[in-house]
Amino acid sequence: MKSIEQIAAELQGYDPQAISAERVNDFLSRLVTPITATEDIGVFDALGRVLARDVISPISVPPHDNSAMDGFAFDSAQLRTAEPLRLRVVGTAFAGKGWPGRLADGECLKIMTGAIMPAGLDTVVPLEFVKQEGDTIALPAGVVSAGDNRRLLGEDIMAGQPALRQGQTLGPAALGLLASLGLPTVNVFRRIRVAYFSTGDEILSLGDAPREGAVYDSNRYTVFGMLTRLGVDVVDLGVVPDKPAQLEAAFRDAAAKADAIITSGGVSMGEADHTKAMMKQLGDVAFWRIAMRPGRPMAVGRIVEGGRSAVLFGLPGNPVAVMVTFLAFVRPALQRLMGGVASEPVLLQARSAEALRKKPGRTEYQRGIVSRAADGSLSVRTTGNQGSGVLSSMVQANGLIVLHHNQGNVAVGDAVDVMMFDGAI
Ligand code: AMP
Ligand code: MG
């Protein structure tokens, strides 16, 4: 486990007062040590979990050559002439049953999708391609070639081959694949636990009466939502007022219970509060000004309590900045902590429907609404007011327009990258 000082020394030109978004991820990948504890769980419980070791297939899928269609199976050696081929139907092969015996020249077998290809037969002509007269079929020339409509043993997965790799997050397709291998359980890393709390004297909890100058806490709810989507266990430690004793108790409680701690608020430059001081006192923490918008101030490090170490993410207070810094930095870092691979955000390109002002030298994340233009291309417009406290912009948006570090002003019609909020699965 490296200290903040050691990591800082590894990074050339590291400047905590002007750190780029890319550099932040590099720093965090050195800070986070993946967990090692694993458990065996049932496949239905494994959605979103991270594989702790490669899964080697104990069987071949499919286990036999089989038919991909309902039709007639025959030996393609008979496909010789340009004439229609006439074959006598001598039986039926159903899915799930073998068909014993062999066929002679001039014979074929009615076969159902998924049925084992009987010995000596290599081709299936679909039902709809043939004319049936009594117990014979006429197969027009040219409708099938040798090997058509036959699925090969092991064409999905061959016995002894790796089917899934360690570090892979299990999605719906992977669950199905595990089941197709006949595996009732799978070895995954244990779930990580993430504790979070909001800080600030002006922050109201739900149920508190409104009062002048105070705002209701929204950060715990967006953080809860994003953590839950990530598949971690959450520990909600509420709103902590700007009092040293209460902050200390919250940090110690969080570090004792969790693998990572997420706070919001109290890390900006002009803060007259105790959050930063308490982070400094209890942990090994770096305080950054990140070259980005929104979300400039952020603290990261580690807090140790009772022999346990928790990674700390001290996010800014502004609600949009919390979500953006989570998506850009915390999410990939937590994926590593979970034993997985940080997923590169899938960026799609869209044409900007408006001119965007952008200064090179910082990364900007604008809330975007992507839609399909009349000519079929993707177009993106902003949600309007890009203030870092305008949480409704995150609700209206379906993605973040990512204006990269070196990028300058965007003209109408220019292509921009968008990090979409939703994937298909
Ligand atoms: P800070 O970084 O603590 O100076 O907070 C920046 C801004 O975000 C201030 O306007 C805070 O009132 C606001 N803020 C901080 N925490 C929260 C929260 N949990 N929910 C909503 N707004 C917050
Ligand atoms: Mg504050």
Side-chain angles (χ1 to χ4, degrees), residues 199-203 242 264-268 271 273 275 317:
T199 70
D201 283 341
E202 81 284 25
I203 309 302
D242 193 23
S264 67
V267 291
S268 47
E271 284 291 329
D273 65 19
T275 307

Side-chain angles (χ1 to χ4, degrees), residues 136-418:
T136 64
I137 57 163
L139 195 169
V143 296
V144 285
S145 316
D148 276 3
N149 304 310
R150 172 186 51 161
R151 304 169 178 149
L152 296 175
L153 180 153
E155 72 172 25
D156 188 354
I157 292 170
M158 205 54 98
Q161 294 297 308
L164 294 165
R165 293 292 191 183
Q166 179 193 332
Q168 187 167 350
T169 299
L170 299 173
L175 297 193
L177 192 72
L178 285 166
S180 79
L181 303 180
L183 297 172
T185 61
V186 57
N187 189 240
V188 296
F189 290 112
R190 74 159 170 81
R191 281 164 80 101
I192 62 163
R193 202 172 309 124
V194 182
Y196 56 87
F197 56 90
S198 296
T199 70
D201 283 341
E202 81 284 25
I203 309 302
L204 300 172
S205 292
L206 294 183
D208 290 349
R211 64 169 191 272
E212 194 177 55
V215 293
Y216 283 105
D217 176 21
S218 57
N219 292 341
R220 266 167 58 236
Y221 297 86
T222 54
V223 167
F224 159 81
M226 293 185 293
L227 287 174
T228 301
R229 282 277 165 90
L230 201 55
V232 309
D233 288 336
V234 297
V235 181
D236 180 6
L237 297 179
V239 177
V240 178
D242 193 23
K243 307 279 185 302
Q246 292 184 50
L247 282 165
E248 177 171 356
F251 276 116
R252 288 194 189 282
D253 190 20
K257 285 179 177 156
D259 303 292
I261 306 167
I262 298 175
T263 64
S264 67
V267 291
S268 47
M269 289 319 269
E271 284 291 329
D273 65 19
H274 301 283
T275 307
K276 277 165 87 171
M278 197 49 68
M279 289 177 178
K280 241 183 225 154
Q281 187 186 317
L282 298 177
D284 180 22
V285 181
F287 296 93
W288 289 333
R289 281 163 69 96
I290 306 172
M292 71 185 292
R293 205 153 95 164
R296 206 140 55 120
M298 185 171 158
V300 302
R302 236 184 243 112
I303 291 185
V304 179
E305 172 67 22
R308 283 182 55 105
S309 159
V311 184
L312 170 71
F313 302 94
L315 305 185
N318 278 307
V320 179
V322 165
M323 295 194 76
V324 169
T325 50
F326 185 97
L327 293 172
F329 311 129
V330 181
R331 190 169 179 277
L334 291 181
Q335 285 174 323
R336 275 197 202 90
L337 187 59
M338 292 159 83
V341 181
S343 56
E344 279 289 313
V346 178
L347 300 177
L348 62 79
Q349 284 217 319
R351 261 196 268 280
S352 184
E354 29 185 302
L356 305 173
R357 287 170 63 84
K358 162 72 170 58
K359 268 206 280 217
R362 69 182 183 208
T363 307
E364 285 193 18
Y365 301 85
Q366 303 212 2
R367 274 70 78 205
I369 302 170
V370 174
S371 59
R372 204 166 277 286
D375 67 358
S377 68
L378 293 175
S379 164
V380 63
R381 64 193 163 89
T382 70
T383 54
N385 185 345
Q386 295 294 302
S388 61
V390 182
L391 190 53
S392 57
S393 67
M394 286 296 287
V395 176
Q396 285 162 28
N398 55 11
L400 290 173
I401 303 170
V402 183
L403 301 173
H404 299 283
H405 191 84
N406 294 324
Q407 207 170 340
N409 287 337
V410 173
V412 174
D414 282 357
V416 289
D417 280 338
V418 187

